[in-house]
Amino acid sequence: MSFLSRIMVLKSKAHFSAGGDHRTTDGGLNVTFEGTRKRSASRAKSRVAIMIASFGVVYAVIGGRLVQYGLAQPETVSSIGRADTLMASRPDILDRNGEVLATDIRTVSLYAEPHKIVDADEAVERLATVLPDLNAREIYNKLKSDSRFQWLRRQLTPKQQSEILALGIPGIGFRPEKRRFYPGGPTAAHILGHVNIDNRGVAGMERYIDEQGLADLAAIGMTSDAKLEPVRLSIDVRVQNIVRDVVDSGMKNYEAIAAGAVVLDVHTGEVLAMASVPDYDPNRPAEGAEEGWMNRMSNGTFEMGSTFKTFTIAMGLDSGKVTLNDSFDATRPIRIGGFTIKDFHGKRRVLTVPEIFQYSSNIGTAKIADLIGISGHKEFLTRMGLLTRLPTELPEVKSPSQPREWKKINSITISFGHGVSTTPLQTAVAGAALVNGGKLIPPSFLPRSEEEASELASAVVKKSTSDDMRYLLRRNGIAGSGKRALVPGFNVGGKTGTADKVVNGRYASDLNFNAFLAAFPIDNPKYMVLTFIDAPKTGEGGGRTAGSNAAPMVRDIISRSAPLLGVEPKFGEDGSALLVSY
C-alpha cells in the first residue's frame, strides 16, 4: 500500500474515534485516540482545582494575619495608654457641703497618621488657621515621620474641633479623652493639686487619690468610663475663697513676696481652708511655673519667730516648774557664746509670765527654756510634733529642720523662734493642741468626726496648761501685739511672730518673716487660724512687723468667715462687744 493510501485509511479510522476510544493495529503499531469531550472535561477540572487551591491559600494568609494582629501587643504610639484607659474616669472632688471642686469633662485630641498625609506643608498651613500658636516645624516633622500615629494637639475645644473638621485634611483625626476641670480656678490650687495631660494626679489631693489605688487600677486597665464615687474633702469652699482672697490681697497690699493662711478645726483636725500665694490655676498648671507650684503652708519650712514663745511658755507651765504667778528678771540682756540676747521693746525690769508673753520678751522666754533644760526642751517640741514630719493626706509636706546637736545657745534661740524651721501648717496644728484641752490631732483634708479624731489624738499637755494658754492668748489679743486681730463680737486670742529672714546664711535685719497664731472664740475655742507674710515692706500704721500685717490678715479672715462657720458674735445689751474675763 502506498504512503498516500495509508494516510486515507488513518483519516477514515480517526473519523470513527469521535464516539469513543478505538484501538487499531496496523503493521504492529497501536494508536490511541482521546475524545475531544473528555479532554475538555479534564482540563476544566484542573482549572477548578487550581482556582480552589489559590483561593484557599489567599484566605489562609488573610486568616493568619488576623490571628497575628489579634495576638500581637498594641503598638506604642504615644505616652498615653489604650483608648479604654484614656476614657477612664476620675472621681469628682467635692467640698464638705457638696460643692464641686474638681470634675471630668469630655474633650477630644487631634492626631495624625503620617502615612496618610498627602501634603505635609499644606496640612501645616491649614491647621495653623485654626491653631495659630502651633509650632509649624514640630508639626511638619511629625507629619513627615515614619510612624503611623502622632499627637498634634491635646484637649481641643469643641469650636477648634469643628473648624478643623471643616478643613477636610486627609490623615487627620480626633480621639476622645477626659479633661480635668476645676471650677474655682486657683481658689484651692495647693489643696486640690492638678493632673497631667493623661489625667493622672501629680500633686495635692489629686495625687493622693491616685496613691490610694486609682493609678494602679488604671495601669492594668481596670478603670472604665463609669462614674466613680466622689471624694468629699473637709474644705469649705466659701471659707477657702475668703482665705485665698485675704492672703492674695495681703501679699499685694503689704508688698510681700509670699503669704499664706490656714483655718483648722481644733477638735477634729479638719482643715477648713488653706491657701498659699503665689499660686496657680490647676486648669493651666504649666503657667504657674515653680514659684506658683510651691505650697508654702505645708511644703515650706520657716523660722516662725515669736509664735514659738507660745510653746516655750506652755512647756514651762506644763512642767510644773513655772506658774502664771512667777516672775523672771529681764533687766539686762543675756550674753552667751559671743551672742547677745535682748528684747525688741525691752521693759528692763522683772516681768511676770503673762508680761513675758504680752511684751514678747526674748530674755524672759530664754530663762524659762533654761529652767527646763536642753533635753526637756527638745522632748517637748518633739511631743508637740514640731520636730517631725507632719502626718496628713497631702503629699507635699516638708520635714522640719533643727540643729544636729542641741547646745545651750540653741535651746535659748529656739525658745523665741530662731534655730528651728517648721511648716506653718504644723505650727497651727501644735497651737490647736494648746487650746483644745491638750490633744495633738493630726490634720486632715478629709471629713472627720470628733469621735474619729479622739482615736487619733494624743495628750501632749495638761488641761490646766491649755486653760492657762487660752488666758495668755486672750490677754495678748486685747492688750498686746495681737490688737489688730480683734474682731468686734468675736473673742480672738493670739500671738505674733516677727523673725529676721536668713539670707546667705546670715540674718537680714531689713527682711522679716511674720506670722500670727490665733484661736477663736477664745473662751471655748473652735478654730485655729494662722497667717504668715514673707518679707513685707509695709503694714498697717506704717510698720512691717507681724502685728501690723499678719494680725490684720487674721482679723479679715475671722470677720468674714466666722458667720459661715456658725460662730455667733457676742454683744452686750448696749450693743457693745463682750470680752472674755478670766
Side-chain angles (χ1 to χ4, degrees), residues 3 201 319 327 444:
F3 178 76
S319 70
S327 300
S444 176

Side-chain angles (χ1 to χ4, degrees), residues 177 193 206 212 263 285 340 356 396 430 504 570:
E177 290 192 283
E206 293 280 26
Q212 302 313 298
V263 177
T340 300
I356 290 172
E396 296 81 20
N504 297 324
K570 295 182 179 180

Side-chain angles (χ1 to χ4, degrees), residues 32-355:
T32 302
F33 294 95
E34 184 178 355
T36 302
R37 292 181 182 176
K38 187 174 182 179
R39 286 199 307 272
S40 299
S42 177
R43 290 172 183 171
K45 289 180 179 179
S46 298
R47 292 191 186 101
V48 171
I50 292 172
M51 291 178 65
I52 292 174
S54 299
F55 278 110
V57 171
V58 171
Y59 283 116
V61 171
I62 294 173
R65 293 294 285 176
L66 289 174
V67 171
Q68 179 185 357
Y69 290 142
L71 296 177
Q73 293 294 327
E75 180 185 0
T76 301
V77 294
S78 74
S79 62
I80 65 172
R82 301 185 304 275
D84 56 349
T85 56
L86 275 177
M87 294 300 294
S89 295
R90 294 185 66 81
D92 286 352
I93 300 180
L94 312 178
D95 85 332
R96 65 188 303 112
N97 301 312
E99 296 295 327
V100 176
L101 301 176
T103 189
D104 278 351
I105 59 175
R106 292 181 178 273
T107 184
V108 295
S109 289
L110 179 67
Y111 71 87
E113 297 174 279
H115 64 289
K116 295 181 180 179
I117 298 295
V118 178
D119 187 333
D121 285 312
E122 182 185 6
V124 172
E125 290 178 3
R126 297 173 73 178
L127 286 173
T129 62
V130 179
L131 306 172
D133 59 336
L134 213 61
N135 187 321
R137 180 179 295 276
E138 178 184 347
I139 298 301
Y140 177 82
N141 291 336
K142 287 184 176 183
L143 297 182
K144 296 294 289 184
S145 68
D146 295 330
S147 65
R148 301 179 68 84
F149 186 101
Q150 288 286 343
W151 283 124
L152 301 184
R153 175 64 63 87
R154 304 291 290 274
Q155 299 179 349
L156 299 176
T157 66
K159 181 181 179 182
Q160 289 172 328
Q161 180 188 14
S162 176
E163 291 177 348
I164 293 174
L165 278 171
L167 296 176
I169 305 173
I172 299 295
F174 302 92
R175 194 169 187 175
E177 290 192 283
K178 289 290 184 66
R179 178 183 178 183
R180 202 63 163 164
F181 177 62
Y182 303 90
T187 301
H190 289 120
I191 296 174
L192 297 173
H194 61 276
V195 299
N196 61 16
I197 194 68
D198 297 326
N199 218 25
R200 301 287 179 260
V202 296
M205 294 303 289
E206 293 280 26
R207 180 178 169 188
Y208 168 79
I209 291 170
D210 277 15
E211 290 175 347
Q212 302 313 298
L214 182 64
D216 294 335
L217 290 175
I220 61 176
M222 293 295 289
T223 54
S224 68
D225 192 32
K227 193 75 170 178
L228 300 177
E229 188 71 22
V231 175
R232 191 179 295 265
L233 302 186
S234 60
I235 303 303
D236 186 322
V237 72
R238 302 169 301 172
V239 181
Q240 178 66 34
N241 185 63
I242 292 170
V243 169
R244 198 263 175 185
D245 180 62
V246 169
V247 299
D248 186 54
S249 298
M251 183 181 72
K252 295 173 182 175
N253 295 339
Y254 303 134
E255 303 175 44
I257 63 175
V262 64
V263 177
L264 186 75
D265 188 314
V266 302
H267 297 297
T268 64
E270 293 172 296
V271 177
L272 278 298
M274 187 180 77
S276 170
V277 292
D279 54 12
Y280 67 102
D281 186 344
N283 293 304
R284 298 182 294 275
E287 298 177 7
E290 294 184 6
E291 191 68 18
W293 293 337
M294 176 65 174
N295 179 6
R296 290 167 173 80
M297 285 302 301
S298 65
N299 204 28
T301 55
F302 308 92
E303 292 187 348
M304 297 300 293
S306 294
T307 58
F308 252 53
K309 292 173 183 173
T310 310
F311 306 112
T312 304
I313 293 179
M315 173 181 66
L317 295 171
D318 203 61
S319 70
K321 296 180 180 181
V322 178
T323 69
L324 292 179
N325 297 320
D326 289 336
S327 300
F328 291 84
D329 187 2
T331 304
R332 292 179 296 274
I334 299 174
R335 291 179 173 82
I336 179 172
F339 295 92
T340 300
I341 310 301
K342 58 184 179 180
D343 290 341
F344 184 63
H345 292 298
K347 299 299 180 181
R348 293 186 175 87
R349 62 177 175 82
V350 174
L351 299 176
T352 64
V353 169
E355 288 177 327

Side-chain angles (χ1 to χ4, degrees), residues 25 156 175 287 443 446 464 492:
T25 302
L156 299 176
R175 194 169 187 175
E287 298 177 7
L446 301 174
S464 59
V492 181

Side-chain angles (χ1 to χ4, degrees), residues 455-472:
E455 296 178 0
L456 301 171
S458 55
V460 289
V461 296
K462 305 169 187 173
K463 184 180 182 303
S464 59
T465 302
S466 179
D467 293 339
D468 288 344
M469 292 311 302
R470 287 192 289 112
Y471 163 74
L472 292 177

